[in-house]
Amino acid sequence: MTTRRHFLRDAGALALSGLVLPTLANTHGLFSTANPYPIGIQLFTLFGPMNEDPKGTLQKVAGAGYKEIESAFNTRGGYYGYSAKDFRKLVNDLGMTWRAHHAGGAPFRPRPTPPAAAGTPPAGDAQRPARPAMDFSKMPPMLNLRDNYQQLVDEAGEGGLSYLVCASTPVSTVDEINKSIEVFQKTGEAAKKAGIGFAYHNHATEFDPVDGGKTPYELILSQTDKELVKMELDLAWATKAGKDPVALFNEQPGRFPLWHIKDIKDDKKTITEVGNGMVDFKRAFSAANVAGLKYFFVEQDMAPGGIESITTSITNLKKILA
C-alpha cells in the first residue's frame, strides 16, 4: 500500500457535484438538495497523471464531476508547474474551485528511486501499487512550513485558497512533535492574518503513543490554539488506527472543517475506491455539524485506476449519501 506518508518517506521526505452538508433539519436521508455542497478531490490521488499532464488531467477530473480541488506534492515545482495565480485560473476555467493545498511540515530531502521500485510492487505485497520511478534531481526545491510558512501563506492568498494544510510532519518523538507544534502555531497565526484557515492532516501514526504515553494527535490538539490550528481528518487512517471519527468530533467539536474521504479494505492495509472498503461514511457525515465540516476531498493515494478509480469513488459516494 502506497500512501503519501510512505511515499514521501521512501523518497526521503518527511514525510462530491451536488452533495450538501447535513443540516439535521428538513433533510431526507443525510443530504438535502436545497444547499448543494460540491465534491472535492485531493490530487495526490492522481499523482502520476498530474505530473505528466496537469491540464489534461484536470479536464478529466472536471468531467468526472468533481468541483473542489486540493493540491499536493508534485515533481514539477510550484503548483504542478504553475504559479498560484495561474493554477487558480486553470482550475476556475474548468468550472472548479481550488480550495486547499498540502505542504510538508519540514524540508523534503529526496533520494533516488531504487530501480526495483519502478513498476514492480514489493515482494509479498501484490496489492500495493508500484511507486513510479522519478528523477528528483530535476525537481525544483519544495517549500515547507518550517522554513517557508509565510511564503506558502502568501501564495495561498494569491490562489484564493480557503485552507493551507500540513500534509505530513515528523511526529515520532515528543521533541519532533513540539517542534511541529511551534510551526503549526506560527503558520496558523500567519494564515489567520491572511484570512486563510490552517489545518493538519493525520495519518494512522498520529494515534500511536510516543514518549510518555501521549499520542501525537492528543498533543497537537491540546497544545495548539483551536482557533488557529484545525484538523483535516482522514477517515481511512483514523479507522485503521481503531478510532471512531464521530467520537473524535465529539471530543473536539468544530475543529474538523476538512475531511479526506478515503476508504480502506478490511485488511486495514489496502486503500481502495470510496464505497469499496470498511469506512462508515454515513455515520461520519451524520456528525458533520458537530465536526464543523466545511469541505471534503476524495482521496485514494496514487490510485492505480486513475480516472476510472475517481469515477468509481464519486459514483459510490453519491449513492452512500443519497
Side-chain angles (χ1 to χ4, degrees):
M1 175 184 63
T2 298
T3 69
R4 176 178 17 253
R5 178 179 290 278
H6 291 155
F7 176 79
L8 293 176
R9 182 192 65 198
D10 291 344
L14 304 170
L16 192 158
S17 275
L19 297 182
V20 296
L21 287 175
T23 61
L24 304 184
N26 300 318
T27 58
H28 300 281
L30 288 178
F31 292 91
S32 162
T33 57
N35 301 300
Y37 193 92
I39 302 174
I41 184 169
Q42 161 53 246
L43 292 178
F44 187 70
T45 302
L46 300 170
F47 182 83
M50 280 301 300
N51 283 293
E52 294 164 6
D53 180 12
K55 183 176 181 180
T57 301
L58 287 174
Q59 289 172 335
K60 294 176 182 178
V61 168
Y66 291 90
K67 295 295 184 182
E68 304 272 344
I69 296 296
E70 184 177 55
S71 51
F73 160 77
N74 69 91
T75 62
R76 285 176 168 253
Y79 304 93
Y80 306 96
Y82 293 84
S83 67
K85 182 178 180 180
D86 289 342
F87 189 69
R88 176 186 185 180
K89 183 178 186 305
L90 171 61
V91 171
N92 288 350
D93 286 349
L94 292 171
M96 300 184 291
T97 301
W98 185 21
R99 188 62 68 186
H101 175 67
H102 269 205
F108 177 73
R109 296 189 178 93
R111 65 174 184 265
T113 302
T120 305
D125 197 5
Q127 290 182 312
R128 176 177 174 178
R131 174 160 63 87
M134 288 177 290
D135 183 357
F136 288 105
S137 67
K138 298 179 181 179
M139 187 179 75
M142 287 178 59
L143 301 180
N144 67 85
L145 295 172
R146 191 195 74 182
D147 301 331
N148 316 107
Y149 73 91
Q150 188 61 60
Q151 182 177 345
L152 283 162
V153 167
D154 292 343
E155 291 181 0
E158 293 173 7
L161 301 186
S162 300
Y163 282 89
L164 179 61
V165 182
C166 179
S168 178
T169 197
V171 291
S172 297
T173 67
V174 170
D175 183 59
E176 287 182 341
I177 295 167
N178 288 337
K179 289 178 180 178
S180 294
I181 286 172
E182 291 179 11
V183 171
F184 295 167
Q185 282 289 118
K186 290 191 299 184
T187 304
E189 290 170 0
K192 182 178 181 179
K193 291 178 181 178
I196 300 167
F198 174 72
Y200 177 64
H201 165 265
N202 70 280
H203 293 79
T205 190
E206 278 80 2
F207 297 101
D208 294 334
V210 292
D211 308 342
K214 292 282 188 177
T215 67
Y217 173 88
E218 292 172 314
L219 292 171
I220 289 169
L221 286 181
S222 65
Q223 296 183 27
T224 56
D225 186 329
K226 65 180 181 180
E227 299 302 323
L228 298 178
V229 181
K230 303 293 186 179
M231 293 294 291
E232 178 174 59
L233 190 72
D234 188 302
L235 298 182
W237 294 137
T239 299
K240 174 182 172 64
K243 299 298 180 179
D244 174 11
V246 174
L248 298 179
F249 301 154
N250 286 330
E251 291 169 2
Q252 293 278 342
R255 205 161 180 182
F256 302 86
L258 308 177
W259 296 358
H260 271 184
I261 305 302
K262 180 186 293 176
D263 215 341
I264 190 168
K265 293 186 177 180
D266 289 343
D267 61 7
K268 292 190 177 181
K269 295 180 180 179
T270 308
I271 299 300
T272 188
E273 290 80 10
V274 172
N276 290 347
M278 64 179 291
V279 176
D280 191 343
F281 295 108
K282 281 197 174 185
R283 174 171 165 76
F285 274 99
S286 72
N289 284 346
V290 175
L293 179 62
K294 293 183 178 179
Y295 309 107
F296 51 88
F297 307 96
V298 167
E299 183 181 41
Q300 183 182 356
D301 299 349
M302 300 175 71
I307 299 301
E308 182 180 352
S309 289
I310 71 167
T311 300
T312 296
S313 287
I314 196 171
T315 299
N316 288 347
L317 187 54
K318 289 179 180 178
K319 292 177 181 178
I320 291 169
L321 300 177

